[in-house]
Amino acid sequence: MDKAYLFLMPLVAVALIIIPLAVALKRKKAGKPVSIKKSILINACSFIGCMALMICIMPAFVGAEAAEAAEEAVDGLAQGLQYIGAALSTGLATIGTGIAVGGAAPAAIGATSEDEKNFTKSLIFVALGEGVAIYGLLISILILFS
């Protein structure tokens, strides 16, 4: 099978899945009785059949290009994992910062409203929570540039 027809496979799959529903709708508009169970069963069988057919046919197309792509994938995988590591370190650190500041800031506001001398102490606790995000950003910079 030629690779030019590869893009048609999903279109055929969608058509085979939609045809039973279209037939059921056409019968309903014509006033003929429609069995919902039968329509759903035909639709599910056509969907499962299309997916099984695509699972069986797609490796033939992918296998020819797999050797070429494997060499490029090693470098791409390493770089992709590097980006994922950097994103996770920054993302999780900022989530932790949000949780820390979400608890510390209202407490700081409450302490400051009771006694204004507590402002500097409260500010330190809020800043400590925000320091976690800076550490996460530092780790992600180290991951990206090492």
Side-chain angles (χ1 to χ4, degrees):
M1 205 172 202
D2 190 20
K3 289 183 184 181
Y5 297 111
L6 185 60
F7 74 95
L8 291 176
M9 287 180 57
L11 297 175
V12 170
V14 169
L16 288 175
I17 292 168
I18 291 177
I19 287 173
L21 293 175
V23 169
L25 287 174
K26 188 174 182 181
R27 287 181 58 92
K28 189 168 185 168
K29 274 189 174 180
K32 297 179 182 176
V34 177
S35 172
I36 301 296
K37 289 182 183 179
K38 184 178 177 183
S39 297
I40 291 174
L41 183 64
I42 291 172
N43 192 316
C45 289
S46 64
F47 177 76
I48 292 169
C50 288
M51 293 303 117
L53 182 67
M54 291 179 80
I55 288 171
C56 293
I57 291 176
M58 286 302 285
F61 294 109
V62 176
E65 298 173 358
E68 298 169 7
E71 295 174 7
E72 296 174 7
V74 172
D75 292 333
L77 178 65
Q79 189 176 13
L81 288 174
Q82 187 178 16
Y83 289 140
I84 289 174
L88 281 174
S89 67
T90 302
L92 293 175
T94 53
I95 289 173
T97 297
I99 293 170
V101 171
I109 292 170
T112 304
S113 67
E114 288 181 11
D115 186 13
E116 293 194 16
K117 293 178 184 176
N118 291 334
F119 178 73
T120 54
K121 294 177 188 175
S122 303
L123 189 63
I124 290 172
F125 286 112
V126 173
L128 284 174
E130 291 180 5
V132 175
I134 295 170
Y135 291 132
L137 181 64
L138 178 66
I139 295 297
S140 62
I141 289 171
L142 289 173
I143 288 172
L144 289 176
F145 295 111
S146 65

